[in-house]
Amino acid sequence: MPCEPPGWGAVPTPAGEFRLSPVRLPADLALIAGWMNDPEVDAFWELAGPPETTERHVRAQLDGDGRSTPCLGLLDGRPMSYWEVYRADLDPLAAHYPARPYDTGLHLLLGPSVSRGRGLGAVLLAALAELILRRNPRCQRVVAEPDVRNRRSVRAFERAGFRAAAELDLPDKRAALMVRDRADGPAARPGPGSR
């Protein structure tokens, strides 16, 4: 399983103490479904609708083969983001880029709209990428594939130390392949107010 939050612990960041917690259904469903119904989020996640829509998406991972783990991101103990940490080399994504063994992929959603546009995504992405690389020595790089139209997300990955490696034509979007190599060293740690 790529995401083992109970063993990972908390990570200090300039924005506060950050940690991942595995999603629990039905307890976390209302919170995540509420975020998915934000029009800004729905533009890229396309999971707006009744809670059952979000539940199907999350349940497929929880009941799957362990290649993808849905997590809540907690900042100073408060849930404020949704993450999917997955084995990119075992994902259908691997057919679209030169995957390496143990590549770990990330999907991120900053929940409350007040969390967006302040540089917080970059801070958390940098912290989590470094945590993944530290906790999993077999993983040599962390990857992501945000929609190229989602400029905010692409910029957050760049500020977190990822580089744009390619544009990919995926079945559901044109994506920017973002890569953070272990060899790149620690990412810059922008403050939560940086742009």
Side-chain angles (χ1 to χ4, degrees):
M1 184 184 305
C3 175
E4 301 171 16
W8 285 5
V11 178
T13 76
E17 186 178 82
F18 175 67
R19 71 180 176 89
L20 292 181
S21 176
V23 168
R24 305 281 182 234
L25 293 179
D28 299 326
L29 182 58
L31 178 64
I32 299 168
W35 293 341
M36 293 295 183
N37 276 282
D38 178 319
E40 189 177 340
V41 171
D42 182 51
F44 299 105
W45 282 79
E46 299 178 347
L47 289 172
E52 294 79 22
T53 302
T54 298
E55 183 175 18
R56 276 190 302 275
H57 176 79
V58 174
R59 176 77 55 203
Q61 294 170 79
L62 292 174
D63 294 344
D65 59 9
R67 293 178 186 180
S68 181
T69 304
C71 302
L72 285 178
L74 286 72
L75 193 59
D76 291 331
R78 182 179 49 86
M80 48 66 63
S81 53
Y82 171 75
W83 298 78
E84 293 171 353
V85 181
Y86 65 98
R87 280 283 303 270
D89 62 320
L90 302 178
D91 189 81
L93 174 65
H96 299 275
Y97 83 104
R100 295 182 191 161
Y102 299 99
D103 278 357
T104 299
L106 295 178
H107 295 143
L108 162 64
L109 153 63
L110 292 179
S113 60
V114 297
S115 297
R116 298 180 216 138
R118 301 180 7 222
L120 183 58
V123 169
L124 300 182
L125 285 165
L128 185 54
E130 289 172 22
L131 182 62
I132 289 167
L133 293 169
R134 187 169 59 245
R135 293 288 185 173
N136 186 356
R138 296 179 297 186
C139 174
Q140 295 301 307
R141 61 189 186 170
V142 180
V143 301
E145 81 294 346
D147 191 304
V148 294
R149 298 171 299 146
N150 191 346
R151 292 302 310 154
R152 250 192 200 173
S153 180
V154 171
R155 282 193 306 271
F157 278 103
E158 289 171 342
R159 286 194 300 269
F162 287 72
R163 63 182 162 73
E167 287 194 5
L168 308 176
D169 288 314
L170 303 179
D172 59 343
K173 65 184 175 185
R174 180 140 179 95
L177 177 66
M178 307 301 295
V179 177
R180 164 73 164 77
D181 286 293
R182 178 181 297 280
D184 292 339
R189 293 185 182 261
S194 66
R195 293 192 148 252

